[in-house]
Amino acid sequence: MSQPVLVTGGSSGIGLAAVALLAERGVPVFATVRTVADAERLAARPGVEPVLCDVRSDDDVARLRAAIDERGAGLWGLVNNAGVGQVGHLTTESMQDMRDVFDINVFGVHRVTNAVVDLLLESGGRVVNMSSISGTLSSAEMGIYSMSKHALEAYTDALWAQLRERGVHVCAVAPGNFQSALATNFVQRVLVGGNPSEWLLNAYDPDFDLTRSQYPPADAVASVCYHALFDPNPHRRYLVTPDADESLMTLRQAAMELLELNRAASHPCSHEELHALLDEATAPMHEQEGAAAASASDG
Ligand SMILES: NC(=O)c1ccc[n+]([C@@H]2O[C@H](COP(=O)([O-])OP(=O)(O)OC[C@H]3O[C@@H](n4cnc5c(N)ncnc54)[C@H](OP(=O)(O)O)[C@@H]3O)[C@@H](O)[C@H]2O)c1
């Protein structure tokens, strides 16, 4: 049996799908939840140990670490999945809105990762950060959410660079739109329990379907997490969308950023050099890592 994996935000949506898949495949799972009812529901699944934890709280995260230590089996993987959505215009959203989202989507990831990183270094394990296509895209209505996911992408790159030499692989998963409680939770947190902006109050349609039932279930994202956790050659980035349109939209934005940067660069690449860059980037990751290691030892 493998060492356990910790999944944050296991109560619904992508986190729950990941917990279910891991448990089904015999991987012991620690799953964070925030209510006793969710803990009882998850505890009914064989192999799943729910832990009450709000990722904003140092004390909760210390208790989470204690629960992992108590099991005494170390830790193979961490899926930093807990997160919240945010809709609103940047010019009317408060600093508090921004702090709330960053506290969960960015600082929460940092807090949990640092609490268990020594265990991952011991096991030579994996970190999977749940980013989003909003880690590449940004729109007028999703500014704060996109900022948080862009930050998570940068966090992932820095952590990857820091830990790769020490045997821990770090990656980002960027899902498109899948079924989850993201919209319902946003309405509860901001419209019901928070301080909604004037813009949001005007834009909100109470007949809007919050269930996201028009999107597929999150199983495809869970499968990608499994690959990132256990495949011998994990990727650095996974883009997983319900259809080709969402992928294309995301890749087009990434390409536009490359071209915009190049267009106004002090030392722009030629057309041929850009093509060579793409060829380089499409080489399998282990070849690139081999080449990078060779050039590092040459230098
Ligand atoms: N679904 C999508 O289409 C989609 C697309 C791109 C990225 N994502 C990302 O996927 C991740 C999961 O979202 P989801 O769509 O599955 O939404 P979800 O169903 O709302 O799940 C979010 C999870 O995060 C937990 N959470 C929220 N605030 C927390 C906190 N302060 N401390 C600990 N846990 C907290 C929630 O717990 P409670 O139940 O207690 O609130 C829930 O378990 C998020 O990072 C999201 O940004 C989702």
Side-chain angles (χ1 to χ4, degrees), residues 5-10 15-16 18-19 22 29-32 77-81:
V5 166
L6 164 63
V7 179
T8 63
L16 180 57
V19 168
L22 288 164
V29 189
F30 292 102
T32 75
L78 163 63
V79 182
N80 279 311
N81 165 78

Side-chain angles (χ1 to χ4, degrees), residues 27-82:
V27 180
V29 189
F30 292 102
T32 75
V33 291
R34 292 193 302 165
T35 66
V36 172
D38 283 335
E40 285 172 357
R41 199 162 43 83
L42 279 188
R45 290 175 184 263
V48 179
E49 182 170 336
V51 183
L52 286 168
C53 175
D54 188 316
V55 298
R56 293 169 296 186
S57 157
D58 289 333
D59 289 347
D60 281 13
V61 171
R63 272 193 290 273
L64 170 63
R65 169 61 196 248
I68 297 170
D69 286 342
E70 199 172 312
R71 169 84 70 92
L75 193 68
W76 170 254
L78 163 63
V79 182
N80 279 311
N81 165 78

Side-chain angles (χ1 to χ4, degrees), residues 176-180 183-184 207-218 241-243 246:
N177 282 291
F178 289 90
Q179 274 173 33
S180 76
T184 312
D207 294 330
F208 183 76
D209 176 13
L210 294 174
T211 64
R212 296 173 66 83
S213 58
Q214 73 271 38
Y215 300 120
T241 60
D243 57 40
E246 285 192 21

Side-chain angles (χ1 to χ4, degrees), residues 177-201:
N177 282 291
F178 289 90
Q179 274 173 33
S180 76
L182 202 67
T184 312
N185 284 338
F186 167 69
V187 167
Q188 279 304 319
R189 184 174 59 83
V190 177
L191 268 156
V192 178
N195 221 340
S197 68
E198 202 61 36
W199 178 86
L200 186 61
L201 289 171

Side-chain angles (χ1 to χ4, degrees), residues 64-293:
L64 170 63
R65 169 61 196 248
I68 297 170
D69 286 342
E70 199 172 312
R71 169 84 70 92
L75 193 68
W76 170 254
L78 163 63
V79 182
N80 279 311
N81 165 78
V84 289
Q86 182 78 19
V87 181
H89 278 163
L90 283 176
T91 52
T92 51
E93 291 202 281
S94 65
M95 283 303 294
Q96 195 52 50
D97 289 335
M98 201 175 282
R99 282 195 194 98
D100 287 345
V101 174
F102 270 69
D103 213 6
I104 299 167
N105 293 5
V106 184
F107 307 141
V109 170
H110 179 58
R111 188 174 284 114
V112 174
T113 304
N114 277 5
V116 298
V117 70
D118 59 318
L119 296 175
L120 298 170
L121 285 165
E122 264 169 39
S123 63
R126 308 268 171 99
V127 179
V128 181
N129 290 332
M130 197 56 63
S131 179
S132 166
I133 54 174
S134 296
T136 300
L137 303 169
S138 194
S139 67
E141 287 77 26
M142 302 276 287
I144 292 182
Y145 182 69
S146 292
M147 285 168 68
S148 74
K149 293 301 182 180
H150 277 65
L152 187 58
E153 292 280 338
Y155 175 87
T156 303
D157 285 343
L159 197 68
W160 176 83
Q162 188 196 333
L163 299 185
R164 63 188 288 249
E165 306 268 297
R166 299 171 69 190
V168 174
H169 182 79
V170 182
C171 76
V173 173
N177 282 291
F178 289 90
Q179 274 173 33
S180 76
L182 202 67
T184 312
N185 284 338
F186 167 69
V187 167
Q188 279 304 319
R189 184 174 59 83
V190 177
L191 268 156
V192 178
N195 221 340
S197 68
E198 202 61 36
W199 178 86
L200 186 61
L201 289 171
N202 288 330
Y204 180 63
D205 173 1
D207 294 330
F208 183 76
D209 176 13
L210 294 174
T211 64
R212 296 173 66 83
S213 58
Q214 73 271 38
Y215 300 120
D219 303 0
V221 189
S223 296
V224 157
C225 286
Y226 193 86
H227 187 283
L229 285 166
F230 293 109
D231 193 87
N233 292 308
H235 301 292
R236 283 187 60 190
R237 285 195 159 73
Y238 294 81
L239 175 60
V240 49
T241 60
D243 57 40
D245 286 351
E246 285 192 21
S247 274
L248 188 61
M249 180 171 65
T250 311
L251 296 173
R252 181 177 287 125
Q253 174 62 24
M256 285 307 294
E257 282 178 26
L258 168 74
L259 297 176
E260 281 166 7
L261 201 60
N262 190 54
R263 189 173 299 138
S266 56
H267 301 83
C269 285
S270 67
H271 209 73
E272 292 69 34
E273 285 168 327
L274 284 175
H275 273 275
L277 275 183
L278 276 182
D279 287 344
E280 212 178 283
T282 45
M285 197 50 77
H286 52 278
E287 277 176 31
Q288 287 179 39
E289 290 186 356

